[in-house]
Amino acid sequence: SFILASAFVIPLLGSLAARMKVPELAVIQIGLAVGSAGFFMMLLGDSWVFEGLCLIVVGTGFARALIASTLGRLIRERNPEDEQSAFSALYTWFNVGSFLGAIVLAGVGEKVSWRAAFLLGGLSLAAGARLAGRSLPSTPLSRRGKVLALMLVSLVPVRLGFLLPIAWLDYIMGTLCVAAPATMFVLQWRSSRNLTSALTLFVLALGIFVFFGLYEHSATTINIFTDRFVDREVLGLRIPTTFFQALDPTFNIGLGALMALVLSSR
């Protein structure tokens, strides 16, 4: 639950990394490389699993924060009229990737070995880092170093979180649920000076935290059906936990399409 909460907050730091006069693609490349290193670290054995998870959350969090803004910039430069459709495609494929990733990696882990699953995850992120680097303009090593240093610093509180009492995590995560949307509100207001858009972003972001928080099964859960990693019994049928994790992005796609139809009809 703590890892999942961190995954919601780390992208805020990724947006700050882009303000270091570093190309967005460089941040994406470094983030995916760090996440890849996390998967490979888990190949070393059980004692490295927590460190590997932290690297994955921090690295992919930094990258995920800038993928959408990078797409927006590229589309506006090349085909501004296709901006809406491009973001619809990005949103859909993000969820398709989550759907397939949950099935493929979990399937390989359960049917072959978890080491093979970790290796596959690491190679996938490494391939993403390589692709991001193909279009990357020349970037001074010192600026790349600043981004990497920010990632390593953010690793510390994430790793220390596993050492804190559960009661402490309750307060910390509750604070983050409000502080993260509030930070997004301030950044949006400073960049746009549009109060309506800033408030809309705040309400939507806060709503996500509240929604997941309502579906708790233990004190610190903010994600549905994943806190204890146990299978569920429904009408006498055993449903693996990974099924729910894979199902979530399919609902996102379906609800996104339904919302688009409703809004377009108006």
Side-chain angles (χ1 to χ4, degrees), residues 37-263:
F39 272 114
F40 292 139
M41 182 174 288
M42 292 197 290
L43 291 172
L44 301 177
D46 293 347
S47 59
W48 294 95
V49 168
F50 286 121
E51 282 71 17
L53 283 173
C54 292
L55 284 171
I56 293 171
V57 167
V58 171
T60 57
F62 271 71
R64 190 169 65 251
L66 298 178
I67 289 176
S69 61
T70 300
L71 174 65
R73 177 177 55 80
L74 293 175
I75 289 295
R76 283 190 292 270
E77 290 175 356
R78 301 175 185 180
N79 301 295
E81 67 279 3
D82 294 334
E83 184 173 10
Q84 294 299 322
S85 59
F87 274 101
S88 297
L90 175 67
Y91 179 76
T92 300
W93 285 110
F94 253 137
N95 285 283
V96 168
S98 299
F99 175 75
L100 294 177
I103 291 178
V104 172
L105 291 185
V108 170
E110 293 176 359
K111 300 299 183 181
V112 182
S113 74
W114 286 105
R115 288 181 179 274
F118 297 154
L119 178 61
L120 182 59
L123 291 175
S124 299
L125 290 183
R130 178 71 182 89
L131 288 173
R134 289 178 60 181
S135 303
L136 183 63
S138 178
T139 307
L141 189 60
S142 59
R143 293 182 182 177
R144 289 172 174 263
K146 289 180 180 179
V147 174
L148 183 59
L150 181 59
M151 291 185 189
L152 295 178
V153 169
S154 63
L155 277 172
V156 176
V158 176
R159 183 61 184 91
L160 291 178
F162 289 107
L163 306 178
L164 297 175
I166 294 296
W168 288 29
L169 287 179
D170 288 343
Y171 291 114
I172 292 174
M173 293 170 67
T175 302
L176 290 177
C177 284
V178 178
T183 303
M184 296 171 67
F185 169 82
V186 172
L187 293 176
Q188 178 70 11
W189 165 250
R190 290 181 59 184
S191 63
S192 68
R193 295 298 177 181
N194 187 320
L195 183 60
T196 301
S197 63
L199 283 175
T200 302
L201 182 63
F202 173 78
V203 171
L204 289 175
L206 184 63
I208 291 173
F209 283 103
V210 172
F211 172 76
F212 284 117
L214 291 176
Y215 285 87
E216 64 178 0
H217 298 279
S218 64
T220 59
T221 302
I222 68 161
N223 201 33
I224 303 174
F225 300 125
T226 61
D227 59 314
R228 297 173 188 169
F229 204 80
V230 294
D231 298 335
R232 306 285 168 170
E233 293 288 337
V234 178
L235 300 177
L237 299 175
R238 186 182 71 86
I239 301 180
T241 303
T242 49
F243 171 80
F244 293 103
Q245 293 172 304
L247 194 63
D248 176 65
T250 65
F251 275 119
N252 289 341
I253 296 174
L255 291 176
L258 178 62
M259 183 178 293
L261 287 174
V262 171
L263 292 176

Side-chain angles (χ1 to χ4, degrees), residues 27-45:
V27 180
I28 293 173
Q29 181 190 39
I30 297 171
L32 293 179
V34 169
S36 176
F39 272 114
F40 292 139
M41 182 174 288
M42 292 197 290
L43 291 172
L44 301 177

